[in-house]
Amino acid sequence: MAVKKQSRSTTTGPRRAPRAQSARTAHAAPSDTDKLPFDIEEVLRRVRHEVRSFADAAMFELAAKGHGSLFEQLIACILSIRTLDEVSLPASLRLLGRAHTPEALSRLTPAEIDALIRPVTFHEGKAHQVHAIAVRTRDEFHGELPAEPDVLQSFKGVGPKCAHLALGIACGHEVISVDIHVHRVTNRWGYVKASTPERTLAALEAVLPRPYWVELNRLLVPFGKHVCTGSRPKCSTCPVLPYCRQEGVTSHR
């Protein structure tokens, strides 16, 4: 009787564990379990300490240099739109050093204003906007801008960001100003989830304690410029990393 041969095993040794993915190519999104519960008070305390050596945001620095009226702050904010602080601040100082009241500024021609603010983005259009604001403030409001967001936003080129920031700095109004830095950083933290600066504003108004409403812009502009940058943020040295969810971060330093 023929003996049936036992099939030979193809296994010659202990099975090897699958090779781990190279650390250079692996990218794991941070898990919430790796992070501390988000504490806005502690996060802003850390940001405040981090930005102490950086230049202040342009409009805050302008106020510190003596140009803190609502009119001056609104004009400076218009100049800052789509323009780096390093460019808009000197331009604001040149213009307001020449004429810092609605009456004085209205006496300049748009061409004269344009010559003073030329380095800023869209300087020609902004020169006409600035002149129109000065004339209307002089004629309609008797040289004194009302501290009302709706009035400020009725001027051409003035949106919620400029209106809120000017009111916050000049008048101490508890309003949040959301620029690209505030929008990016607060969403990257995972503190809010919003697709546009306008929606970020609404989301922040719902969760951010009021004592931080004005300070938020002052802190996050330099923080967003120097630490939590648009591309390749400095996560490895960021003091907020233990709390930050790093939403949308695919590459960092």
Side-chain angles (χ1 to χ4, degrees):
M1 180 177 174
V3 179
K4 187 176 181 180
K5 292 184 180 180
Q6 187 176 5
S7 61
R8 190 175 181 181
S9 171
T10 58
T11 303
T12 58
R15 183 173 294 176
R16 293 181 181 179
R19 288 178 62 188
Q21 190 177 7
S22 167
R24 290 187 178 181
T25 58
H27 180 80
S31 168
D32 282 356
T33 59
D34 300 329
K35 301 290 184 176
L36 295 173
F38 197 88
D39 181 344
I40 189 62
E41 183 175 350
E42 175 60 19
V43 164
L44 292 182
R45 186 193 69 78
R46 293 182 177 213
V47 171
R48 198 177 295 116
H49 185 267
E50 182 71 13
V51 303
R52 70 194 188 284
S53 61
F54 299 135
D56 213 346
M59 289 176 61
F60 289 93
E61 187 168 346
L62 187 70
K65 292 180 180 295
H67 298 286
S69 73
L70 182 56
F71 176 76
E72 291 172 300
Q73 286 291 309
L74 186 65
I75 295 303
C77 194
I78 290 173
L79 300 189
S80 74
I81 295 172
R82 303 282 184 89
T83 305
L84 295 174
D85 282 1
E86 294 80 0
V87 176
S88 68
L89 179 58
S92 296
L93 289 170
R94 278 194 304 275
L95 177 63
L96 298 173
R98 172 82 175 272
H100 70 278
T101 66
E103 175 65 35
L105 196 49
S106 67
R107 289 198 297 266
L108 298 180
T109 66
E112 289 173 318
I113 295 172
D114 185 39
L116 291 165
I117 66 170
R118 190 168 297 276
V120 307
T121 307
F122 309 128
H123 53 85
E124 187 175 358
K126 289 178 180 179
H128 286 276
Q129 290 173 9
V130 165
H131 185 261
I133 290 173
V135 170
R136 185 179 164 199
T137 302
R138 179 198 65 193
D139 296 344
E140 185 175 340
F141 302 112
H142 309 291
E144 190 71 31
L145 271 178
E148 300 172 16
D150 290 345
V151 171
L152 300 189
Q153 291 180 62
S154 70
F155 291 109
K156 182 180 179 181
V158 178
K161 184 199 99 169
C162 277
H164 287 186
L165 192 54
L167 285 167
I169 298 173
C171 306
H173 284 205
E174 288 183 341
V175 285
I176 303 172
S177 177
V178 177
D179 69 350
I180 189 62
H181 299 292
V182 175
H183 172 62
R184 179 180 67 248
V185 173
T186 55
N187 278 274
R188 186 175 281 168
W189 285 346
Y191 186 53
V192 295
K193 293 184 179 180
S195 57
T196 66
E198 292 75 20
R199 291 178 179 177
T200 292
L201 171 60
L204 287 171
E205 286 177 336
V207 298
L208 183 67
R210 278 185 173 270
Y212 303 123
W213 279 24
V214 176
E215 186 186 26
L216 189 71
N217 187 276
R218 182 175 200 157
L219 294 177
L220 295 195
V221 168
F223 186 73
K225 287 173 62 177
H226 300 287
V227 181
C228 195
T229 51
S231 60
R232 300 190 69 238
K234 298 178 181 177
C235 297
S236 63
T237 57
C238 177
V240 180
L241 184 61
Y243 299 90
C244 178
R245 271 53 185 174
Q246 295 172 277
E247 296 288 347
V249 175
T250 57
S251 176
H252 60 80
R253 290 172 279 175

